[in-house]
Amino acid sequence: MATTSDRIIRLQHVEVRVPDLELATAYYTEVLGLVETARDERDGAPRVFLKCWDEREHHSVILREAPTYGLDHMSFKLNEASDLDHFTTKLEAAGVPVKRFASRELGPGWGEAIRFDSPSGHLVELTHGTERIGNMLPKTNPPPRPQDLIGIAPPRLDHLFVMAEDVEAFTAFFTELLEFRLTEQILANDGHQLATFLEHSHTPHDIAVITGPNGALHHFAFWLDDWNAIREAADALAYHGVNIDVAPTRHGVTRGYTTYFFDPAGNRNELFTGGYWVDPDFEPITWTEEEMGRAIFYYHRQVNERFFTVHS
C-alpha cells in the first residue's frame, strides 16, 4: 500500500500545442534528440509522441498540432492503480470534478488516468500503467548509453514550471490534495508567495509555479548529467540557430545549473542538472523578494524581464 509520500512518483509527461507539427517534431528529434514512438489524431488534431532515450515508458512529451502554442496538460505517474481511487475520492470530497479514462482511451501507450482542473486553470492528469517500451539499452550487461543517439539527447524529462495568478492557492492545492512537498519558496515583502517549488521524486522540484497569467506555461525541463553537458548543449543550440533565452548559468533556488531556450513554436525549454536530495522531513527554504534575482539567476543577481513576461 502506497503511503502519502509515494503515491505520486514523478512527472510522467507534458502535452504541448505547436502550430507546425512537422517543424516542431524535427526540432525535438534532431536538435534535442528525443525519440518518436507513435503518431495519432485526437479530436481532429494530429499528435506526435516522444520520449527521452533513458525513459522506459512510451512517451514523456506529446506534440499536438493547434493554431496556438502552450500547455494542454501535465501528467504525473502514480505508484499503484489503487492511487487513482485514492485521489478521486480526495479531490471529489474537496469539490473538484474528476474525469476517469480507461487504459489507452486517451492515446497510444497511455495508462488508466484521471483528469481535473487546478485552481490556476491548468489541466492535471494522474496516470498509472503507461506502456513500457524500454530505454534503448539491453537489460543484461548494458553500456552506459546507446551509441546512436542524435542531438543533445537528454536522458529524461525532469520538471515543469507554470504560472498562476494566485500562487498560494495553487500551492495549497498541490500540497494538500496531491500531497506534494514544498521545497523552496520566494516570498514577497508582504508575506505572500511569489513562487514555489514542489516535489514528489526527492529532487528539488517536479513542478514549480510563479506569479503570472492563469493557465500559462513557463517552461518544461529535461535532465542532463552534469554541468559540462549543459555547456555542450548550449553550443549545439547555438549551432542550430535555436533562440537561446538564458545562456548557461546557475540557479540559487534548487542549486541547479541551467540554460533556457525556445522551441520553434515559442514554448520555452530548459536543460537542467544539479540540485539536491529531498528527504520526507526536508524543511522548506525561503528566499526574500530582495534576493529574487539571486534566487533565480545566482551569478547575475537579477532576473531579466523575459523571465516574467514571456510564456506560452
Side-chain angles (χ1 to χ4, degrees):
M1 180 66 68
T3 64
T4 296
S5 62
D6 63 8
R7 288 193 177 99
I8 293 176
I9 298 175
R10 56 169 170 78
L11 182 64
Q12 170 66 57
H13 68 251
V14 295
E15 181 169 353
V16 294
R17 301 184 300 277
V18 294
D20 188 330
L21 184 61
E22 294 307 319
L23 177 62
T25 300
Y27 160 82
Y28 279 100
T29 57
E30 297 173 20
V31 178
L32 273 186
L34 274 59
V35 180
E36 182 177 334
T37 60
R39 294 191 179 219
D40 80 345
E41 185 172 305
R42 184 172 176 84
D43 299 327
R47 298 189 299 181
V48 172
F49 292 73
L50 306 164
K51 67 182 286 293
C52 298
W53 73 262
D54 203 21
E55 293 168 333
R56 273 74 170 175
E57 290 167 316
H58 184 270
H59 56 267
S60 60
V61 175
I62 306 166
L63 308 177
R64 181 174 71 86
E65 190 170 80
T68 60
Y69 60 102
L71 180 69
D72 267 358
H73 75 274
M74 65 185 84
S75 180
F76 296 95
K77 179 182 179 179
L78 294 176
N79 189 35
E80 299 176 1
S82 61
D83 296 328
L84 292 161
D85 296 325
H86 167 81
F87 284 110
T88 297
T89 300
K90 193 171 186 179
L91 288 159
E92 290 181 340
V96 179
V98 176
K99 293 183 180 180
R100 191 152 184 161
F101 300 87
S103 179
R104 310 301 186 267
E105 182 178 352
L106 291 168
W110 226 291
E112 189 177 1
I114 59 173
R115 285 183 171 182
F116 46 91
D117 289 322
S118 70
S120 58
H122 294 95
L123 180 61
V124 181
E125 175 184 290
L126 305 179
T127 186
H128 178 268
T130 302
E131 179 186 354
R132 296 177 68 84
I133 62 174
N135 70 337
M136 300 179 66
L137 292 175
K139 293 183 179 179
T140 302
N141 303 327
R145 56 189 278 136
Q147 298 302 302
D148 56 352
L149 297 176
I150 296 171
I152 294 167
R156 61 176 171 83
L157 182 69
D158 190 76
H159 66 264
L160 176 69
F161 200 139
V162 297
M163 307 183 88
E165 294 177 8
D166 189 339
V167 170
E168 291 174 333
F170 182 100
T171 303
F173 182 88
F174 273 78
T175 55
E176 295 170 12
L177 294 182
L178 301 185
E179 303 167 3
F180 279 75
R181 282 185 290 258
L182 174 69
T183 58
E184 303 202 39
Q185 59 183 345
I186 302 173
L187 296 185
N189 290 331
D190 63 5
H192 77 268
Q193 292 172 322
L194 295 172
T196 60
F197 300 77
L198 310 165
E199 68 83 28
H200 259 297
S201 63
H202 301 282
T203 62
H205 57 333
D206 295 296
I207 186 169
V209 59
I210 195 166
T211 303
N214 276 343
L217 168 66
H218 191 277
H219 69 267
F220 57 100
F222 300 93
W223 174 264
L224 288 178
D225 288 336
D226 55 41
W227 168 237
N228 195 54
I230 296 284
R231 295 190 294 108
E232 290 177 346
D235 290 344
L237 294 169
Y239 174 80
H240 287 286
V242 173
N243 182 6
I244 296 177
D245 183 35
V246 178
T249 187
R250 185 171 198 167
H251 294 307
V253 173
T254 75
R255 303 182 204 157
Y257 297 97
T258 176
T259 188
Y260 291 98
F261 47 99
F262 294 97
D263 74 11
N267 297 303
R268 186 189 275 109
N269 297 156
E270 180 189 17
L271 293 169
F272 179 88
T273 194
Y276 48 79
W277 183 258
V278 178
D279 286 326
D281 61 351
F282 183 89
E283 296 182 2
I285 297 166
T286 296
W287 295 79
T288 61
E289 185 173 356
E290 288 82 4
E291 292 295 331
M292 178 180 285
R294 194 162 61 98
I296 302 298
F297 298 124
Y298 193 76
Y299 300 145
H300 301 287
R301 296 177 176 265
Q302 59 185 2
V303 182
N304 66 55
E305 183 181 357
R306 294 188 308 276
F307 197 81
F308 289 106
T309 59
V310 177
H311 54 78
S312 57

